[in-house]
Amino acid sequence: MTTNIRNYGIAIGRLAQEVKVGKLHRDGSVRVFFTLACPNNYKNSDDGSRDAQFISFTAFLPSRMTGLTAAQVESAGPNACKLTPGLGPFSLLHKGDLIAVQYHIESSSYVDKQTGETKYVQNLCAQSIDFLESQQAVADRQKRLQQESAGVFCGTFSNFDS
């Protein structure tokens, strides 16, 4: 895909939540949704903290990436939503991962069926992602998070000693 310099951006931040998979299309393609917490480049004048902007992205994964064929989706019928598509590089993402997203903006419109009013929508569509942390750093964070959540669920509060 060539980049249109007039409609292009880069966002750097941490994944705010796990990647969500959208509806599986008839041809085996799927859309994924994710949110990045991108820190502001200025500090809050009240307390010196650095707030973040939470930016939502959409990515389209073609059937060649999901590994599903139109025939598989067709044969699954109403149960097609239960097929698990491959998510390519998105399967490697976890909440908290530091990534860079190259994106473009897509505009669309629709008519609200209840009011008859035309609504305009803009989506930030991810073109590519770059991992900005080593696999070891990601694995260490995941291990620490699992240990912390296990400690809380088991009722131990050893991390909160005064």
Side-chain angles (χ1 to χ4, degrees), residues 23-41:
K23 180 179 89 168
L24 183 63
H25 299 128
R26 290 184 190 168
D27 65 352
S29 63
V30 70
R31 287 200 182 267
V32 296
F33 305 93
F34 60 99
T35 302
L36 229 67
C38 300
N40 292 332
N41 62 351

Side-chain angles (χ1 to χ4, degrees), residues 24-85:
L24 183 63
H25 299 128
R26 290 184 190 168
D27 65 352
S29 63
V30 70
R31 287 200 182 267
V32 296
F33 305 93
F34 60 99
T35 302
L36 229 67
C38 300
N40 292 332
N41 62 351
Y42 57 88
K43 292 183 179 178
N44 188 331
S45 62
D46 295 333
D47 61 3
S49 65
R50 192 177 295 265
D51 295 331
Q53 302 298 315
F54 290 81
I55 304 171
S56 298
F57 293 92
T58 302
F60 176 76
L61 301 178
S63 58
R64 65 178 162 69
M65 190 174 280
T66 66
L68 296 173
T69 64
Q72 289 172 311
V73 176
E74 186 70 32
S75 67
N79 295 322
C81 62
K82 295 180 181 175
L83 294 174
T84 305

Side-chain angles (χ1 to χ4, degrees), residues 10-15 34 36-39 89 92-94 96-102 128-139 141:
I10 297 174
I12 298 174
R14 292 198 177 271
L15 203 60
F34 60 99
L36 229 67
C38 300
L92 302 173
L93 291 177
H94 304 92
D97 288 356
L98 182 63
I99 61 172
V101 178
Q102 296 177 12
S128 68
I129 59 171
D130 291 316
F131 300 90
L132 301 179
E133 294 179 299
S134 68
Q135 289 179 342
Q136 186 62 49
V138 172
R141 183 176 53 259

Side-chain angles (χ1 to χ4, degrees), residues 74-128:
E74 186 70 32
S75 67
N79 295 322
C81 62
K82 295 180 181 175
L83 294 174
T84 305
L87 297 181
F90 294 96
S91 63
L92 302 173
L93 291 177
H94 304 92
K95 179 179 175 178
D97 288 356
L98 182 63
I99 61 172
V101 178
Q102 296 177 12
Y103 65 91
H104 68 274
I105 300 171
E106 286 184 1
S107 299
S108 62
S109 63
Y110 66 95
V111 177
D112 186 324
K113 292 180 182 178
Q114 292 179 341
T115 65
E117 185 180 349
T118 301
K119 304 282 185 171
Y120 298 93
V121 180
Q122 289 187 330
N123 292 313
L124 298 182
C125 299
Q127 291 177 230
S128 68

